[in-house]
């Protein structure tokens, strides 16, 4: 489809999502597929449609942001978090940990963090900051209803203790929900929190250009406390971690040097 440059400007004005920071070929292909599915022929017509129709607008943002997630995604790494990372963080910083789940999607990740930490700390001492650009996924996170596939990797003891089965769905308990503070946040433009002991940012930077990734890793570095840890997705790695001031603590875990 013609006119993608102008379309990117229009999308930025409407959503504050900067498509220039996302890998172009992949993103354009996704968008073209969605537009064609809606029987629309040009970007301008599509922009007019999403301006006029809130449902279509939401569908677009939702589709654009690719928000698949699940609890304990890549359980091996959660095992490492459990055995090595949490004990190390508690030894270094004590029990008041500042933890940020960046691009948290529907809440599976921050809620998993609360459950995993509950092995080390009483629930009322746990607080997770959880952010995402997409207000719809944040709403879903606050509702806290999940399908069987999403909770497949939740340890049985936690599934029994913290979820209620409602029909085919699983509702996360209030005692877990209350430990997470959800906020809308755009990694490309909003200010970052500071002095975090652990930042979890998984399966989102794969969609960004190298320049955007670099920028974000720099900001994560600034946002960490000294020796704080950055936990990334299992298909990701930070090539230039040394130049960015990180050390490699374990695969998928980097520490601020
Ligand atoms: C594939 S999900 C990853 C969810 C979770 N971290 C995980 O690994 O299961 C990617 C999330 O990144 C969010 N996202 C995309 N661009 C973003 C941006 N610029 N700032 C913040 N979040 C963004 C999307 O809304 C989506 O919820």
């Amino acid at each position: 489809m013609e006119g993608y440059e102008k379309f990117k400007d229009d999308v930025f004005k409407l959503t504050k999502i900067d498509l220039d920071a996302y890998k172009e070929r992949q993103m354009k292909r996704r968008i073209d597929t969605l537009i064609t599915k809606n029987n629309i022929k040009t970007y301008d017509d599509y922009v007019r449609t999403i301006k006029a129709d809130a449902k279509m607008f939401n569908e677009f943002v939702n589709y654009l942001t690719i928000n698949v997630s699940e609890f304990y995604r890549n359980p091996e790494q959660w095992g490492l978090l459990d055995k090595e990372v949490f004990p190390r963080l508690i030894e270094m910083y004590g029990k008041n940990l500042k933890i940020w789940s960046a691009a948290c999607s529907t809440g599976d990740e921050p809620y998993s963090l609360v459950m995993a930490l509950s092995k080390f700390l009483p629930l009322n001492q746990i607080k997770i900051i959880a952010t995402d650009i997409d207000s719809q996924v944040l709403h879903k996170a606050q509702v806290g209803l999940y399908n069987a596939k999403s909770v497949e990797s939740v340890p049985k003891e936690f599934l029994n203790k913290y979820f209620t089965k409602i029909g085919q769905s699983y509702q996360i308990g209030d005692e877990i929900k209350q430990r997470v503070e959800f906020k809308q946040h755009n990694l490309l433009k909003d200010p970052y929190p500071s002095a975090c002991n652990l930042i979890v940012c998984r399966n989102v930077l794969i969609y960004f250009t190298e320049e955007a990734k670099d920028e974000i890793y720099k900001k994560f570095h600034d946002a960490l406390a000294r020796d704080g840890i950055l936990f990334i997705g299992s298909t990701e790695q930070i090539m230039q971690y040394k130049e960015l001031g990180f050390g490699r603590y374990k695969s998928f875990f980097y520490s601020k040097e």
Side-chain angles (χ1 to χ4, degrees):
M1 233 180 272
E2 301 287 304
Y4 192 62
E5 289 303 314
K6 171 167 182 297
F7 178 70
K8 286 192 288 191
D9 288 344
D10 291 340
V11 168
F12 186 72
K13 282 183 204 133
L14 277 174
T15 65
K16 292 285 165 287
I17 296 174
D18 177 7
L19 288 176
D20 273 333
Y22 294 78
K23 285 182 190 152
E24 180 133 330
R25 244 186 14 186
Q26 191 183 355
M27 194 46 107
K28 184 172 184 305
R29 188 170 358 101
R30 281 180 65 79
I31 291 171
D32 289 354
T33 309
L34 177 70
I35 296 181
T36 312
K37 189 197 96 187
N38 281 304
N39 284 322
I40 293 174
K41 301 273 178 309
T42 68
Y43 289 126
D44 282 346
D45 283 347
Y46 187 65
V47 169
R48 268 191 287 280
T49 310
I50 58 176
K51 263 190 194 157
D53 182 335
K55 217 170 135 228
M56 291 282 281
F57 178 85
N58 287 341
E59 180 194 48
F60 176 62
V61 173
N62 221 249
Y63 184 83
L64 205 69
T65 52
I66 317 169
N67 36 44
V68 280
S69 190
E70 62 193 58
F71 283 79
Y72 286 82
R73 190 171 188 171
N74 314 110
E76 331 75 73
Q77 275 122 52
W78 287 81
L80 267 177
L81 200 64
D82 214 35
K83 283 192 194 59
E84 316 232 5
V85 179
F86 282 148
R88 172 182 154 120
L89 293 176
I90 290 168
E91 194 184 297
M92 280 191 311
Y93 303 112
K95 293 187 170 177
N96 269 327
L97 295 175
K98 186 163 179 185
I99 299 178
W100 177 24
S101 166
C104 66
S105 189
T106 44
D108 317 38
E109 183 178 278
Y111 291 145
S112 300
L113 286 165
V114 176
M115 288 187 278
L117 255 182
S118 74
K119 283 194 181 165
F120 300 88
L121 304 173
L123 277 179
N124 64 11
Q125 282 197 24
I126 299 173
K127 205 189 110 203
I128 312 288
I129 306 163
T131 63
D132 200 282
I133 195 174
D134 182 349
S135 58
Q136 283 183 84
V137 289
L138 294 175
H139 179 70
K140 252 190 111 181
Q142 277 151 327
V143 171
L145 267 182
Y146 299 94
N147 62 25
K149 169 108 193 29
S150 304
V151 300
E152 208 169 54
S153 300
V154 174
K156 280 282 157 295
E157 49 180 308
F158 289 152
L159 197 61
N160 295 335
K161 195 166 170 191
Y162 295 127
F163 288 84
T164 312
K165 189 141 189 241
I166 305 177
Q168 296 304 305
S169 304
Y170 292 79
Q171 167 89 60
I172 186 100
D174 282 343
E175 66 274 55
I176 301 296
K177 268 192 194 171
Q178 280 157 7
R179 308 325 311 165
V180 182
E181 187 193 335
F182 288 101
K183 274 191 260 180
Q184 194 171 14
H185 178 275
N186 181 348
L187 285 166
L188 295 164
K189 81 177 219 326
D190 291 328
Y192 284 30
S194 60
C196 298
N197 305 120
L198 173 67
I199 297 175
V200 181
C201 184
R202 311 181 69 217
N203 308 302
V204 56
L205 298 195
I206 34 173
Y207 305 115
F208 289 115
T209 62
E210 290 308 312
E211 297 76 52
K213 264 191 225 176
D214 258 20
E215 199 54 43
I216 292 174
Y217 285 135
K218 276 188 200 134
K219 291 193 194 161
F220 280 150
H221 188 271
D222 287 344
L224 282 168
R226 193 157 168 234
D227 295 320
I229 301 260
L230 172 65
F231 176 21
I232 63 172
S234 61
T235 56
E236 303 168 308
Q237 55 178 321
I238 310 178
M239 299 292 188
Q240 69 301 22
Y241 66 92
K242 282 193 187 132
E243 290 91 275
L244 289 166
F246 285 108
R248 195 165 183 167
Y249 176 56
K250 303 266 168 198
S251 305
F252 316 113
F253 293 92
Y254 295 84
S255 60
K256 175 169 175 168
E257 302 273 84

